[in-house]
Amino acid sequence: MSNSQPEGGRASSPDVDGDMSRAIAEAARLITGAGKLALACHVSPDGDALGSMLALHHLALANGKPSLASWPEPFVVAPHYQFLPGLDLVTKPADFPPDPEVMVTFDCGSVGRLGELGPIAERSRWVGRLVVLDHHASNECYGSVNCVDPAAAATAVVVRRLATELGWPLNREAAMCLYTGLVTDTGRFQYHNTTPAVFALAEELSTFDLPICDMSRQLFEEHRFAYLKLVAVCLERAELDVDLRFVATWVTDEDFQRFDVSIEETEGLIDLVRRAAEAEVSCVLKESPEGIRVSLRAVEETDVGAIATRFGGGGHRFAAGFTSAGTVAEVLAQIRGALATGG
Ligand code: AMP
Ligand code: MN
Ligand code: MN
């Protein structure tokens, strides 16, 4: 893999293409030889993690390959992904096989993002049976086969390529799932990673008569009224640092309780905050049982992936995150410090 192109947008070098082709062929060989697949995506799964995993799950089942799909606790799905076909076919992490024949991970840059499924991934790697499908430039290549393409806009793109190699034709369920990964990770075909290849895949997927309008409303538009009220409070308290070109807000435990809104439901809050014209970097901090969950976004200059990595997280150049101990005020001060010293 190459580290030169965190979010895609440029053709990758011939060497990278060659590496990817070999990795995809090797992954297809392992999967073809397996009696059963065990699929896992990253903790707190987003549209690409769920979509790319469920797509391969659908295709495996449709092609006579037993498969199970899971992700670490908390084993919940944000309301805006609940329309995804196949969520009735997933397996609790507690029921994940301890020694899967072949394990495949999706959209997950490190073993740590697999939570309690991490040790199973590590054992699978030891016996040469862990396939990693991802597009994070920061991927630690923790698999025995690493199909990691930083030039791909979404893991869904990598899964589409693997399906071709496997000779598994797409079906409508898989197309819906892949489209979800593609449209969410490109911010509705708006981010830097929106390449001709993205539109080509979107065109192919759209031939499956996808409910584009319904999916768009579910994914990006529709929310419970209570969420709108929570947003009002969070935007009201947002702080803009004109000198740092930094905008931030936060959601407390008390907010979640008062409005009866789940943390999963607030995934899109950062997309409202990042609209501030004065800000290059935007941030949302959320109190959670694991600590302060931080989302960072940059418009064009700052590598927030590098900042998040410094704080023990990761991500892409323009979209990244981490989870940290401390209070909202403390973590915010640390982020300001990192930005003040040049990121
Ligand atoms: P989010 O702000 O949660 O939407 O996350 C944006 C991106 O940052 C994700 O696509 C992940 O690639 C990455 N990310 C978020 N949180 C973490 C974390 N704790 N560790 C590693 N990467 C993360
Ligand atoms: Mn993801
Ligand atoms: Mn992704």
Side-chain angles (χ1 to χ4, degrees), residues 41-50 52 106-109 113 134-136 155 184-185 267 316:
C41 67
H42 67 70
V43 66
S44 305
D46 52 22
D48 190 31
L50 285 172
S52 57
F106 297 81
D107 201 41
C108 181
R113 298 269 286 159
D134 191 25
H135 67 128
H136 288 90
T155 302
T184 54
D185 265 23
E267 190 186 351
H316 307 282

Side-chain angles (χ1 to χ4, degrees), residues 232-241 247-250 273 283:
V233 167
C234 294
L235 293 184
E236 165 63 26
R237 73 162 67 109
E239 291 179 359
L240 175 69
D241 185 323
V247 65
T249 193
W250 54 92
V273 178
C283 174

Side-chain angles (χ1 to χ4, degrees), residues 5-288:
Q5 191 58 17
E7 273 205 312
R10 222 172 27 192
S12 39
S13 72
D15 280 339
V16 175
D17 280 347
D19 286 352
M20 251 319 260
S21 298
R22 274 190 293 278
I24 292 274
E26 184 58 30
R29 215 168 19 248
L30 266 182
I31 288 171
T32 302
K36 181 164 185 168
L37 303 179
L39 316 181
C41 67
H42 67 70
V43 66
S44 305
D46 52 22
D48 190 31
L50 285 172
S52 57
M53 176 176 73
L54 290 175
L56 199 71
H57 192 44
H58 283 295
L59 295 182
L61 297 176
N63 286 277
K65 176 80 63 184
S67 171
L68 64 84
S70 189
W71 63 91
E73 293 286 352
F75 190 58
V76 289
V77 174
H80 42 283
Y81 301 130
Q82 277 168 12
F83 71 91
L84 278 171
L87 285 175
D88 51 334
L89 304 172
V90 296
T91 299
K92 292 198 300 283
D95 296 333
F96 204 86
D99 288 300
E101 227 181 292
V102 166
M103 181 168 174
V104 187
T105 72
F106 297 81
D107 201 41
C108 181
S110 66
V111 170
R113 298 269 286 159
L114 291 168
E116 66 269 36
L117 302 179
I120 303 178
E122 275 167 344
R123 277 201 298 281
S124 300
R125 186 218 164 107
W126 278 114
V127 293
R129 302 218 170 142
L130 178 63
V131 176
V132 171
L133 306 178
D134 191 25
H135 67 128
H136 288 90
S138 58
N139 190 293
E140 292 172 5
C141 290
Y142 54 93
S144 24
V145 179
N146 299 288
C147 304
V148 178
D149 183 2
T155 302
V157 175
V158 179
V159 169
R160 173 65 192 106
R161 201 166 158 185
L162 176 61
T164 303
E165 184 79 19
L166 285 160
W168 291 353
L170 292 188
N171 57 32
R172 186 163 185 269
E173 288 76 21
M176 264 178 89
C177 294
L178 291 178
Y179 184 84
T180 296
L182 197 62
V183 74
T184 54
D185 265 23
T186 58
R188 309 189 226 187
F189 309 112
Q190 294 177 105
Y191 299 154
H192 294 83
N193 57 359
T194 308
T195 57
V198 165
F199 286 117
L201 179 53
E203 183 189 12
E204 182 193 20
L205 298 174
S206 70
T207 64
F208 288 86
D209 190 26
L210 303 187
I212 300 282
C213 181
D214 286 353
M215 289 173 71
S216 301
R217 179 159 169 87
Q218 293 295 309
L219 288 169
F220 301 111
E221 302 288 342
E222 192 174 280
H223 280 284
R224 293 184 310 123
F225 191 64
Y227 172 75
L228 303 186
K229 293 294 191 184
L230 176 139
V231 167
V233 167
C234 294
L235 293 184
E236 165 63 26
R237 73 162 67 109
E239 291 179 359
L240 175 69
D241 185 323
V242 176
D243 293 336
L244 276 183
R245 295 200 295 147
F246 176 61
V247 65
T249 193
W250 54 92
V251 195
T252 65
D253 276 333
E254 199 202 325
D255 298 327
F256 288 124
Q257 276 164 32
R258 175 173 157 217
F259 293 102
D260 190 24
V261 164
S262 68
I263 195 165
E264 291 78 26
E265 217 168 340
T266 63
E267 190 186 351
L269 178 58
I270 185 71
D271 294 316
L272 293 173
V273 178
R274 66 185 281 277
R275 291 181 175 205
E278 297 86 345
E280 155 68 10
V281 175
S282 50
C283 174
V284 173
L285 305 97
K286 300 169 190 172
E287 289 183 352
S288 84

